[in-house]
Amino acid sequence: MDACIAAIDQGTTSSRCILFDHDGRAIGSAQLEHEQIFPRAGWVEHDPTALWRNSARALETAAADAGRTVAAVGITNQRETTIVWDRATGEPVTNAIVWQDTRTDRLCLELAGAAGPDRYRQRTGLPLSTYFAGPKLRWILDNVAGARARAEAGELCFGTVDSWLVWQLTGGRTHVTDVTNASRTMLMDLRTLDWDPQLCAEFGVPLAMLPEIRSSSEVYAEVAVGPLAGVPIAGILGDQQAATFGQACLDPGEAKNTYGTGNFMLLNTGTEPVDSEHGLLTTVCYRLGDQAPVYALEGSIAVTGSLVQWLRDNLGIIAGAAEIEPLALSVSDNGGVYFVPAFSGLFAPRWRPDARGVIAGLTRYVNKAHIARAVLEATAFQTREVLDAMRADSGVELTTLKVDGGMVGNETLMQFQADLLDVPVVRPVVAETTALGAAYAAGLAVGYWAGTEDVRTNWAEDKRWLPRMNSAERDRRYAEWNRAVERTYGWLD
């Protein structure tokens, strides 16, 4: 087939476009980074115009370089990042508030009231947290001059990044989101898959500014601007749901873990939502057209790959991310050091917004190589916590863990992860499963792929790491990690 599917992957640190052929192979790509804006401690912002400009440029560049017909465009995105813009002009009213941002911590306490952080969990599957889009939207309405009055007058639009990109791609004609992104706002009822008027009223959000909720795989509109004008936009999935779909986790009990800016483990639980009793999120995994929605349990970890960036950019211990593995391998162990990167508090399964980062176990013996090793191990330890919670909630014993994302090229980390979980860790041939999942959603909607069996057929294993650590050593290290985590509590009132 000469035609291909284009997937825009608008992430936390960059905007990419990857083109995929019928076998699910990447045949072209383009990528542009954008600035991380930190106005004050705990605040993280992006320029929405830069996200759109870079996404459009990546799409046009990849398509031109590949020289193939693009049959459809899919979109995957950093999920909870929140944008509000003028309906008439398309101008953002302020910078995007990024999912990592913690400025809404006091607002979340106010919304929780006497009921506590689980006040809305039954309807939304989520605890009240700075992580989600609803509190961020409320903050914008309360703190940007004139925003609330303009929103109530119907002049403003809200969207997560997917909505913003579709709006721009269609020249301001289409204001939509999909069920996976809507399920991360705290404003959608998890079972009806509609905006909940009572929730919106309690959050102080006018219904008129919200996008229409659609499935993850259908033709929403056609591109109206640029050289791809006329190409259908046919798939939208939040980034972690897209990776789950791209990893072919299509049956209940199948799970994947993405190692990116943060870590995100999703377990397919089928067509009925499973309430978590161990600190996980209940979320929509995907919905194909008018089929029944598929749900997932999710463990979200705020800081993993971004900790490597912090080691590079803030401390200057490494000059590039690739340097961390040889540095960590220059010592035989972590020297007793444990690094708990609670920069934005702790997400799943602990949900402690009062926590802040700690390096525990320092002695004069410790050097930068031990710290580098502790940085890598922090990702694996946090993943172990989430997997334990998933086992407890689902009753499913995973036999393998499918992995993807930028950090899976670090073989030292992957081996330690297998050791710590005591299950094989499996990396697919196509590691860019987030973009691939969005491509599959779009391609299925236009008939490029016949059905989900094509998704299964295309998935292939690249490498497998088997556990080789004895149980006593595993238990000792995990116990020491838990002692370090407890030192992070109570840093904020």
Side-chain angles (χ1 to χ4, degrees):
M1 252 184 217
D2 289 334
C4 63
I5 303 293
I8 297 172
D9 181 359
Q10 201 300 298
T12 308
T13 59
S14 70
S15 302
R16 299 186 299 172
C17 179
I18 304 180
L19 304 180
F20 293 95
D21 66 12
H22 197 263
D23 294 327
R25 296 176 301 195
I27 58 170
S29 66
Q31 181 172 3
L32 293 162
E33 291 191 1
H34 55 263
E35 181 186 5
Q36 306 297 305
I37 303 168
F38 306 105
R40 62 177 73 176
W43 292 30
V44 189
E45 298 179 356
H46 292 156
D47 175 359
T49 304
L51 302 186
W52 155 239
R53 183 176 59 246
N54 289 355
S55 296
R57 190 178 304 163
L59 174 63
E60 293 173 9
T61 300
D65 290 350
R68 293 202 193 187
T69 300
V70 175
V73 175
I75 294 172
T76 184
N77 58 287
Q78 48 169 324
R79 294 175 296 182
E80 298 80 9
T81 295
T82 298
I83 303 172
V84 175
W85 65 94
D86 186 285
R87 190 181 296 276
T89 67
E91 287 296 313
V93 302
T94 188
N95 278 338
I97 302 180
V98 178
W99 59 273
Q100 300 159 311
D101 189 286
T102 61
R103 74 184 69 183
T104 59
D105 48 3
R106 294 191 180 278
L107 173 59
C108 288
L109 288 173
E110 292 172 14
L111 288 167
D118 287 339
R119 177 180 178 184
Y120 302 114
R121 185 186 281 273
Q122 186 61 35
R123 275 183 285 172
T124 68
L126 312 173
L128 266 163
S129 168
T130 61
Y131 183 20
F132 303 111
K136 300 179 195 299
L137 173 53
R138 165 69 177 271
W139 188 95
I140 290 173
L141 294 176
D142 286 349
N143 291 276
V144 174
R148 178 164 296 283
R150 293 169 66 193
E152 291 174 351
E155 298 174 7
L156 299 183
C157 294
F158 152 77
T160 43
V161 177
D162 58 304
S163 297
W164 171 242
L165 294 182
V166 172
W167 178 274
Q168 295 290 348
L169 284 167
T170 61
R173 297 186 182 95
T174 305
H175 188 205
V176 298
T177 188
D178 90 302
V179 287
T180 67
N181 282 289
S183 74
R184 315 299 291 199
T185 62
M186 301 203 76
L187 302 175
M188 187 192 83
D189 186 296
L190 199 59
R191 288 160 178 82
T192 67
L193 305 183
D194 287 326
W195 301 120
D196 185 308
Q198 183 179 349
L199 283 171
C200 292
E202 292 181 19
F203 273 76
V205 171
L207 282 164
M209 69 185 309
L210 302 181
E212 180 186 359
I213 301 174
R214 307 274 285 272
S215 80
S216 309
S217 178
E218 60 177 279
V219 175
Y220 313 105
E222 293 182 349
V223 177
V225 297
L228 293 184
V231 175
I233 306 166
I236 301 173
L237 284 161
D239 52 9
Q240 303 314 317
Q241 286 92 336
T244 308
F245 200 65
Q247 283 273 40
C249 295
L250 304 174
D251 286 333
E254 295 183 321
K256 68 87 197 178
N257 197 31
T258 296
Y259 296 73
T261 302
N263 264 36
F264 304 88
M265 186 185 297
L266 270 75
L267 173 73
N268 183 322
T269 60
T271 56
E272 292 294 329
V274 174
D275 295 327
S276 175
E277 298 180 359
H278 297 87
L280 301 180
L281 310 178
T282 304
T283 194
V284 181
C285 194
Y286 59 87
R287 186 181 191 186
L288 304 180
D290 59 3
Q291 296 180 23
V294 173
Y295 294 90
L297 284 171
E298 175 176 337
S300 306
I301 303 167
V303 178
T304 56
S306 57
L307 183 56
V308 177
Q309 294 175 327
W310 182 85
L311 201 69
R312 178 195 67 193
D313 299 339
N314 291 49
L315 297 191
I317 288 178
I318 54 175
E323 293 180 13
I324 193 169
E325 185 169 19
L327 180 58
L329 283 173
S330 68
V331 290
S332 60
D333 57 34
N334 64 13
V337 173
Y338 292 85
F339 196 149
V340 188
F343 296 161
S344 302
L346 292 170
F347 283 14
R350 298 174 187 259
W351 297 105
R352 293 293 300 252
D354 60 320
R356 285 298 179 266
V358 164
I359 304 175
L362 290 174
T363 64
R364 285 290 300 274
Y365 167 71
V366 170
N367 60 37
K368 63 181 181 180
H370 295 113
I371 293 175
R373 198 172 188 101
V375 163
L376 293 181
E377 291 181 355
T379 293
F381 282 119
Q382 292 179 98
T383 299
R384 163 72 185 270
E385 291 185 337
V386 167
L387 183 57
D388 286 352
M390 237 166 227
R391 284 169 168 157
D393 273 336
S394 68
V396 173
E397 286 293 330
L398 293 183
T399 55
T400 59
L401 180 65
K402 292 180 176 180
V403 299
D404 55 70
M407 295 182 79
V408 299
N410 189 310
E411 303 209 356
T412 301
L413 171 58
M414 293 297 100
Q415 181 59 57
F416 187 72
Q417 188 70 88
D419 289 341
L420 203 60
L421 300 182
D422 197 27
V423 297
V425 168
V426 180
R427 182 176 68 196
V429 170
V430 179
E432 300 299 345
T433 55
T434 303
L436 180 58
Y440 281 143
L444 286 167
V446 298
Y448 184 81
W449 287 288
T452 53
E453 280 307 307
D454 287 346
V455 177
R456 290 190 183 283
T457 300
N458 283 350
W459 190 91
E461 179 178 320
D462 174 49
K463 186 164 183 177
R464 176 178 295 247
W465 288 268
L466 301 176
R468 59 192 187 197
M469 183 182 289
N470 66 62
S471 59
E473 179 68 5
R474 182 183 305 115
D475 292 346
R476 179 188 69 80
R477 294 199 187 193
Y478 192 48
E480 290 178 353
W481 161 261
N482 277 292
R483 288 170 58 196
V485 174
E486 290 168 3
R487 271 46 172 194
T488 69
Y489 296 167
W491 284 93
L492 292 181
D493 295 332

